[in-house]
Amino acid sequence: MPVEVRLPTLLRQYTDGTASVTADGATIGEVFAAIVGQYPGLGGQLIDDSGSLHKFVNVYVNDEDIRYLDSLGTPVAEGDVVSILPAVAGG
Amino acid sequence: MTFPGTPTLRITRAQHRTIIGHCFDGLPDEACGLLGGPAIGAMEEPTGVITEVFPTRNADASSRTYTVDGKDMLRAMRTMDERGEVLVGCWHSHTHTEAYPSPTDVRTATANPNWIYVIVSLKPEHGAPVLRAYRIRDGAVAEVPVELMG
Protein backbone atom coordinates (compact mmCIF):
# COMPACT_ATOMS: atom_id res chain seq x y z
CA MET A 1 0.00 0.00 0.00
CA PRO A 2 1.84 3.10 -1.14
CA VAL A 3 1.71 6.15 1.09
CA GLU A 4 3.16 9.59 0.55
CA VAL A 5 5.81 10.77 3.01
CA ARG A 6 6.52 14.51 3.18
CA LEU A 7 9.96 15.46 4.41
CA PRO A 8 11.16 18.60 6.21
CA THR A 9 13.79 20.84 4.65
CA LEU A 10 16.69 19.47 6.61
CA LEU A 11 16.06 15.84 5.61
CA ARG A 12 15.87 16.61 1.89
CA GLN A 13 19.66 16.61 1.75
CA TYR A 14 19.35 12.83 2.08
CA THR A 15 16.78 12.49 -0.73
CA ASP A 16 18.49 14.48 -3.48
CA GLY A 17 16.30 17.46 -2.61
CA THR A 18 13.03 15.59 -2.96
CA ALA A 19 10.33 16.93 -0.63
CA SER A 20 7.97 13.99 -0.93
CA VAL A 21 8.61 10.28 -1.41
CA THR A 22 6.29 7.31 -1.84
CA ALA A 23 6.81 4.03 -0.05
CA ASP A 24 4.98 0.81 0.74
CA GLY A 25 4.21 -0.45 4.20
CA ALA A 26 1.40 -1.39 6.57
CA THR A 27 2.83 0.58 9.49
CA ILE A 28 4.96 3.69 9.94
CA GLY A 29 7.88 1.43 10.86
CA GLU A 30 7.54 -0.49 7.59
CA VAL A 31 7.19 2.70 5.55
CA PHE A 32 10.31 4.13 7.20
CA ALA A 33 12.23 0.92 6.51
CA ALA A 34 11.22 1.21 2.85
CA ILE A 35 12.29 4.84 2.48
CA VAL A 36 15.55 4.21 4.32
CA GLY A 37 16.09 1.41 1.80
CA GLN A 38 15.75 4.02 -0.96
CA TYR A 39 17.67 6.74 0.88
CA PRO A 40 20.03 5.17 3.42
CA GLY A 41 21.10 8.59 4.77
CA LEU A 42 17.66 9.00 6.34
CA GLY A 43 18.24 6.04 8.64
CA GLY A 44 19.77 7.71 11.66
CA GLN A 45 17.55 10.77 11.24
CA LEU A 46 14.26 8.95 11.78
CA ILE A 47 15.10 6.10 14.12
CA ASP A 48 17.43 6.32 17.12
CA ASP A 49 19.99 3.76 18.26
CA SER A 50 17.40 1.95 20.36
CA GLY A 51 15.07 1.51 17.38
CA SER A 52 12.57 4.13 18.57
CA LEU A 53 11.31 7.20 16.76
CA HIS A 54 14.02 9.87 16.91
CA LYS A 55 13.17 12.54 19.49
CA PHE A 56 14.05 15.37 17.11
CA VAL A 57 11.26 14.55 14.67
CA ASN A 58 7.50 14.58 14.85
CA VAL A 59 5.59 12.23 12.57
CA TYR A 60 1.94 12.57 11.63
CA VAL A 61 -0.43 10.27 9.81
CA ASN A 62 -2.70 12.80 8.16
CA ASP A 63 -3.35 15.06 11.19
CA GLU A 64 -2.47 12.69 14.01
CA ASP A 65 0.85 12.69 15.87
CA ILE A 66 2.01 9.06 15.99
CA ARG A 67 3.44 9.55 19.50
CA TYR A 68 -0.19 9.60 20.63
CA LEU A 69 -1.07 6.59 18.48
CA ASP A 70 1.15 3.50 18.30
CA SER A 71 4.41 5.25 17.38
CA LEU A 72 6.25 3.19 14.74
CA GLY A 73 3.52 0.53 14.95
CA THR A 74 0.85 2.99 13.81
CA PRO A 75 -0.98 1.47 10.83
CA VAL A 76 -1.18 3.31 7.52
CA ALA A 77 -3.47 2.76 4.55
CA GLU A 78 -3.25 3.67 0.91
CA GLY A 79 -3.89 7.36 0.44
CA ASP A 80 -2.63 8.35 3.89
CA VAL A 81 -0.16 11.20 3.99
CA VAL A 82 2.71 10.88 6.43
CA SER A 83 4.30 14.22 7.39
CA ILE A 84 7.64 14.48 9.12
CA LEU A 85 8.44 17.75 10.87
CA PRO A 86 11.28 18.83 13.10
CA ALA A 87 10.51 18.77 16.80
CA VAL A 88 10.87 22.29 18.20
CA ALA A 89 11.92 22.31 21.83
CA GLY A 90 14.32 23.85 24.28
CA GLY A 91 14.60 25.25 27.72
CA MET B 1 29.85 36.85 16.62
CA THR B 2 27.66 36.71 13.52
CA PHE B 3 27.25 34.10 10.84
CA PRO B 4 27.78 35.31 7.25
CA GLY B 5 24.60 36.45 5.53
CA THR B 6 22.62 36.84 8.73
CA PRO B 7 19.36 38.66 7.93
CA THR B 8 17.77 41.33 10.11
CA LEU B 9 14.60 40.04 11.74
CA ARG B 10 11.83 42.48 10.85
CA ILE B 11 8.74 42.16 12.98
CA THR B 12 5.80 44.52 13.17
CA ARG B 13 4.73 46.13 16.42
CA ALA B 14 1.53 44.07 16.25
CA GLN B 15 3.57 40.85 15.91
CA HIS B 16 5.77 41.98 18.78
CA ARG B 17 2.65 42.51 20.92
CA THR B 18 1.34 39.05 19.99
CA ILE B 19 4.60 37.40 21.03
CA ILE B 20 4.95 39.31 24.29
CA GLY B 21 1.27 38.85 25.15
CA HIS B 22 1.48 35.08 24.63
CA CYS B 23 4.59 34.96 26.82
CA PHE B 24 2.72 36.68 29.67
CA ASP B 25 -0.35 34.50 29.11
CA GLY B 26 1.82 31.42 29.52
CA LEU B 27 3.13 32.33 32.98
CA PRO B 28 4.22 30.67 35.19
CA ASP B 29 5.25 28.34 32.34
CA GLU B 30 7.43 29.11 29.39
CA ALA B 31 5.45 30.07 26.28
CA CYS B 32 6.39 29.29 22.68
CA GLY B 33 5.40 29.85 19.10
CA LEU B 34 6.51 29.82 15.47
CA LEU B 35 7.49 32.41 12.87
CA GLY B 36 6.44 32.18 9.23
CA GLY B 37 7.62 34.13 6.26
CA PRO B 38 9.28 34.13 2.88
CA ALA B 39 12.52 32.23 2.40
CA ILE B 40 15.01 31.71 -0.39
CA GLY B 41 16.50 28.55 -1.85
CA ALA B 42 16.48 24.87 -1.00
CA MET B 43 17.68 25.50 2.55
CA GLU B 44 14.94 28.09 3.11
CA GLU B 45 17.08 31.07 4.04
CA PRO B 46 14.76 33.63 5.74
CA THR B 47 14.64 37.12 4.27
CA GLY B 48 13.98 38.40 7.79
CA VAL B 49 10.42 39.45 6.97
CA ILE B 50 7.81 37.76 9.14
CA THR B 51 4.32 37.48 7.70
CA GLU B 52 2.78 35.39 10.47
CA VAL B 53 3.39 34.80 14.15
CA PHE B 54 1.84 31.59 15.49
CA PRO B 55 1.34 31.31 19.25
CA THR B 56 1.44 27.60 20.11
CA ARG B 57 0.87 25.49 23.18
CA ASN B 58 3.85 24.42 25.26
CA ALA B 59 3.41 20.64 25.33
CA ASP B 60 5.78 20.46 28.31
CA ALA B 61 3.61 22.85 30.38
CA SER B 62 6.83 23.72 32.23
CA SER B 63 8.55 26.82 33.58
CA ARG B 64 11.92 25.34 32.57
CA THR B 65 11.42 23.77 29.13
CA TYR B 66 9.19 24.03 26.10
CA THR B 67 8.11 21.80 23.27
CA VAL B 68 5.98 23.31 20.52
CA ASP B 69 2.75 21.32 20.43
CA GLY B 70 2.88 18.98 17.44
CA LYS B 71 -0.61 19.70 16.14
CA ASP B 72 -0.11 23.45 16.43
CA MET B 73 3.10 23.08 14.43
CA LEU B 74 1.42 21.02 11.71
CA ARG B 75 -1.34 23.64 11.43
CA ALA B 76 1.19 26.48 11.21
CA MET B 77 3.21 24.65 8.56
CA ARG B 78 0.10 24.07 6.44
CA THR B 79 -0.91 27.72 6.71
CA MET B 80 2.50 28.73 5.40
CA ASP B 81 2.35 26.05 2.68
CA GLU B 82 -0.86 27.59 1.36
CA ARG B 83 0.88 30.96 1.12
CA GLY B 84 3.93 29.57 -0.60
CA GLU B 85 5.99 30.49 2.45
CA VAL B 86 7.61 28.48 5.22
CA LEU B 87 8.33 28.39 8.92
CA VAL B 88 11.53 30.37 9.40
CA GLY B 89 11.93 30.26 13.15
CA CYS B 90 10.41 29.98 16.57
CA TRP B 91 10.19 31.91 19.81
CA HIS B 92 9.91 31.12 23.47
CA SER B 93 10.07 32.83 26.83
CA HIS B 94 12.57 32.62 29.65
CA THR B 95 10.60 33.42 32.76
CA HIS B 96 13.50 34.21 35.09
CA THR B 97 16.64 34.21 32.96
CA GLU B 98 18.16 36.36 30.24
CA ALA B 99 17.05 36.51 26.60
CA TYR B 100 19.94 34.30 25.55
CA PRO B 101 19.91 30.63 24.43
CA SER B 102 20.26 28.21 27.34
CA PRO B 103 22.49 25.15 26.99
CA THR B 104 19.30 23.17 26.34
CA ASP B 105 18.29 25.62 23.60
CA VAL B 106 21.67 25.19 21.91
CA ARG B 107 21.58 21.39 22.16
CA THR B 108 18.07 21.07 20.74
CA ALA B 109 18.33 23.62 17.91
CA THR B 110 18.11 21.02 15.19
CA ALA B 111 15.21 22.16 12.97
CA ASN B 112 17.20 24.11 10.38
CA PRO B 113 20.51 25.99 10.74
CA ASN B 114 18.87 28.94 8.99
CA TRP B 115 16.08 29.25 11.55
CA ILE B 116 15.82 32.37 13.67
CA TYR B 117 15.36 31.68 17.39
CA VAL B 118 13.62 34.49 19.24
CA ILE B 119 13.86 34.52 23.02
CA VAL B 120 11.82 36.77 25.29
CA SER B 121 13.05 37.37 28.83
CA LEU B 122 10.37 38.10 31.39
CA LYS B 123 12.96 38.33 34.15
CA PRO B 124 11.29 40.67 36.66
CA GLU B 125 14.49 42.66 37.27
CA HIS B 126 14.34 43.95 33.68
CA GLY B 127 11.10 45.81 34.41
CA ALA B 128 9.86 45.10 30.87
CA PRO B 129 10.13 42.14 28.47
CA VAL B 130 13.37 41.89 26.49
CA LEU B 131 13.16 40.32 23.01
CA ARG B 132 16.29 39.20 21.18
CA ALA B 133 16.97 36.87 18.25
CA TYR B 134 19.69 34.36 17.41
CA ARG B 135 20.94 31.76 15.05
CA ILE B 136 22.26 28.55 16.52
CA ARG B 137 24.56 26.32 14.48
CA ASP B 138 26.59 23.37 15.64
CA GLY B 139 26.67 24.62 19.20
CA ALA B 140 27.56 28.22 18.26
CA VAL B 141 25.23 31.14 18.95
CA ALA B 142 25.11 34.36 16.93
CA GLU B 143 22.81 37.29 17.52
CA VAL B 144 20.37 38.33 14.78
CA PRO B 145 19.53 42.06 14.67
CA VAL B 146 15.86 42.86 15.30
CA GLU B 147 14.03 45.76 13.71
CA LEU B 148 10.54 46.78 14.81
CA MET B 149 8.42 47.89 11.85
CA GLY B 150 5.30 50.05 11.67
Side-chain angles (χ1 to χ4, degrees):
Chain A
M1 291 181 293
V3 298
E4 180 189 355
V5 181
R6 295 181 184 168
L7 299 161
T9 314
L10 208 55
L11 294 188
R12 296 175 198 163
Q13 61 186 298
Y14 304 105
T15 61
D16 307 320
T18 302
S20 171
V21 298
T22 302
D24 283 316
T27 63
I28 291 290
E30 289 181 17
V31 168
F32 280 6
I35 63 173
V36 170
Q38 288 176 261
Y39 303 102
L42 283 175
Q45 307 297 318
L46 301 177
I47 308 294
D48 67 19
D49 291 342
S50 70
S52 301
L53 180 65
H54 204 295
K55 66 178 178 181
F56 288 144
V57 295
N58 288 333
V59 179
Y60 308 84
V61 176
N62 303 319
D63 285 351
E64 298 302 321
D65 185 336
I66 67 166
R67 281 200 175 84
Y68 300 105
L69 300 173
D70 193 17
S71 194
L72 295 173
T74 302
V76 290
E78 186 164 2
D80 281 344
V81 175
V82 176
S83 302
I84 303 173
L85 293 184
V88 179
Chain B
M1 72 175 279
T2 57
F3 297 124
T6 296
T8 295
L9 176 66
R10 295 182 170 84
I11 54 175
T12 66
R13 291 184 189 282
Q15 290 168 342
H16 187 269
R17 277 196 299 274
T18 298
I19 292 171
I20 301 293
H22 188 62
C23 290
F24 276 119
D25 288 345
L27 286 172
D29 293 339
E30 290 193 5
C32 54
L34 295 162
L35 302 171
I40 299 163
M43 281 304 288
E44 299 175 352
E45 170 77 32
T47 65
V49 172
I50 300 302
T51 51
E52 188 87 31
V53 167
F54 299 95
T56 65
R57 286 168 288 185
N58 176 1
D60 294 347
S62 164
S63 63
R64 294 178 178 276
T65 64
Y66 77 96
T67 297
V68 170
D69 177 83
K71 278 203 166 185
D72 289 353
M73 178 152 184
L74 189 65
R75 199 174 303 125
M77 189 207 66
R78 288 190 175 153
T79 300
M80 298 319 291
D81 261 356
E82 286 167 11
R83 293 189 182 179
E85 296 181 343
V86 296
L87 295 175
V88 294
C90 60
W91 46 279
H92 76 282
S93 59
H94 284 172
T95 60
H96 287 84
T97 56
E98 299 297 336
Y100 191 83
S102 68
T104 304
D105 291 331
V106 173
R107 198 173 59 247
T108 56
T110 56
N112 183 327
N114 288 333
W115 264 31
I116 297 170
Y117 292 83
V118 169
I119 302 179
V120 176
S121 172
L122 299 179
K123 189 176 176 179
E125 292 87 331
H126 287 311
V130 175
L131 182 151
R132 298 177 80 168
Y134 303 89
R135 268 181 164 168
I136 305 170
R137 293 179 176 170
D138 295 327
V141 175
E143 185 146 15
V144 172
V146 179
E147 192 178 328
L148 275 184
M149 316 285 287

